[in-house]
Amino acid sequence: MRDVLPALVRHLERGPVALARVISTTGASPRAVGSAMLITEDGEIIGSLSGGCVESAIIGSAAQALSDETAIIEHFGLADPDGIAIGLTCGGEMEVLVEPLGTGHLSAVQRIAAAVAAGTPIALAATLSASPTWHVATPDDQRPWRHLDADIADLLVTGRSGIIGVDDCETGPQGDRPRTFVQTFAPRSRLILVGANDFVRALATLGSTLGHHVTVVDARAVFATRARFPDADEVIVDWPHRYLAHEIAEHRTDRSTCVCVMTHDTKFDVPALRTALGSDRVGFVGALGSRRTVADRNARLVEAGVTADQLARLRSPLGLDLGAHTPAEVAVSIAAQLIADRHDASGMSLTLRSGPIHR
């Protein structure tokens, strides 16, 4: 949607326009969640949703939405080569929300466009109903809304977009949580993985699935290759502490950045951890290791000048107590800790807790 915002503002100043957005995908998909297309009353098309395979159906839905002043949700799956139904040739599935917008939406769109232009994080929530209700949220303006404001804030701080809430929400203190699409306009949270082994590969895949911008960094070029880490956004060959220092100095990290050191080698571990722990522009710092390794590494960190307050920030041994052994299981353990830490949650089984699940 970011690329069609200027055109959306211009057309809303003149009259109604239909906004079609990808709200969910499964498997291979031609466009990412949040991709948008505009269709004006006179048939002008701006943007793209699929590169051609579903646009004709969306144009028809847009005309109907503008005529009936009612939103439509379309679902597209695998195209049948022998049928006439429109589908995706790539084999995935895609859900599209088609909304009729009018002058009443203009101020919200202008606010979003201004925030995007200024580089300020902002989120747009739209209930998935025949008459969608919009709600705009920023890190400094997170008013209670439909018992979904905490979910929206979480997506906003991590730069993710997606569907929250439920289809059939009950009314009441905790029941009003309608199915809602939240589109964020903010950088994704960073997950920087130090090392180039099987555990890093598993966590890179899971971290990417959870919406992080994943960077793998290792000084050994033979291990740090794109082929070994296909799901990482970046694979960097450099000394980890040097890379971290450069990213911090260039303000490319912030409190949403997570650094996980997974090399099991003190010549990499200690300098990287010292750099990460010494910066207030890194939110989470963790390191793999046995109890013996952790004790030895902590002593080395103190010798290297890490203060007691800095060392208290270190999450090591890294991960929650799940009984994990394989790289995939360890990745789940670490990812669970990252989620729990972000929400200041206990990581306990929900059956042992009382009260609402969504606090």
Side-chain angles (χ1 to χ4, degrees):
M1 181 175 167
R2 185 188 298 262
D3 54 341
V4 302
L5 274 174
L8 181 55
V9 172
R10 291 196 306 270
H11 283 284
L12 278 179
E13 290 173 342
R14 304 170 190 168
V17 61
L19 171 65
R21 289 185 288 165
V22 178
I23 60 175
S24 72
T25 62
T26 302
S29 177
R31 297 296 303 278
V33 169
S35 299
M37 184 172 75
L38 307 181
I39 304 94
T40 67
E41 285 189 307
D42 58 6
E44 182 181 356
I45 301 170
I46 302 164
S48 172
L49 296 182
S50 69
C53 51
V54 305
E55 268 79 355
S56 59
I58 294 299
I59 292 169
S61 298
Q64 181 182 340
L66 288 169
S67 174
D68 298 342
E69 297 184 350
T70 301
I72 299 170
I73 296 178
E74 297 280 16
H75 181 271
F76 301 95
L78 177 63
D80 181 357
D82 299 320
I84 60 173
I86 296 174
L88 300 177
T89 58
C90 55
E93 297 181 19
M94 182 168 68
E95 197 174 9
V96 178
L97 170 65
V98 185
E99 296 177 86
L101 306 185
T103 54
H105 297 88
L106 180 58
S107 61
V109 173
Q110 288 175 326
R111 182 182 175 191
I112 294 167
V116 170
T120 303
I122 196 166
L124 169 62
T127 57
L128 299 179
S129 59
S131 299
T133 300
W134 277 20
H135 173 73
V136 177
T138 66
D140 300 323
D141 180 14
Q142 296 175 5
R143 293 161 291 171
W145 185 74
R146 311 294 291 269
H147 299 286
L148 294 171
D149 41 284
D151 304 70
I152 296 170
D154 182 50
L155 291 174
L156 184 56
V157 76
T158 55
R160 294 174 294 144
S161 298
I163 295 175
I164 58 176
V166 294
D167 283 312
D168 298 315
C169 59
E170 301 175 356
T171 57
Q174 295 296 329
D176 184 20
R177 290 175 51 82
R179 190 169 184 256
T180 298
F181 174 60
V182 180
Q183 183 164 5
T184 62
F185 302 87
R188 288 184 293 162
S189 59
R190 296 194 63 182
L191 175 59
I192 301 176
L193 305 179
V194 175
N197 52 46
D198 289 344
F199 294 94
V200 172
R201 180 164 57 248
L203 186 53
T205 298
L206 185 52
S208 178
T209 301
L210 293 174
H212 295 285
H213 181 282
V214 179
T215 300
V216 174
V217 56
D218 194 296
R220 300 165 294 185
V222 67
F223 295 120
T225 66
R226 170 58 63 185
R228 297 189 70 232
F229 302 95
D231 295 318
D233 294 280
E234 300 175 297
V235 179
I236 305 296
V237 179
D238 196 356
W239 282 90
H241 72 279
R242 185 167 59 190
Y243 172 76
L244 285 173
H246 182 263
E247 295 298 286
I248 293 168
E250 293 296 320
H251 290 184
R252 287 198 282 263
T253 63
D254 57 28
R255 294 297 298 172
S256 69
T257 299
C258 303
V259 174
C260 295
V261 176
M262 306 170 70
T263 59
H264 298 293
D265 189 330
T266 57
K267 69 175 177 291
F268 293 114
D269 290 5
V270 172
L273 288 171
R274 181 179 60 192
T275 302
L277 292 171
S279 172
D280 60 2
R281 296 188 61 83
V282 175
F284 179 98
V285 184
L288 280 182
S290 65
R291 298 293 182 184
R292 178 184 298 178
T293 296
V294 170
D296 176 72
R297 185 168 53 214
N298 286 352
R300 292 174 184 269
L301 287 169
V302 171
E303 291 176 3
V306 174
T307 68
D309 288 342
Q310 291 172 343
L311 192 60
R313 294 180 54 206
L314 178 60
R315 301 291 181 263
S316 186
L318 181 59
L320 298 185
D321 181 17
L322 304 183
H325 293 284
T326 68
E329 291 174 342
V330 171
V332 171
S333 169
I334 296 171
Q337 183 176 19
L338 295 177
I339 296 169
D341 188 86
R342 188 170 73 239
H343 295 286
D344 194 25
S346 67
M348 292 174 56
S349 170
L350 290 173
T351 59
L352 301 178
R353 296 187 58 87
S354 59
I357 294 174
H358 300 283
R359 292 175 292 168

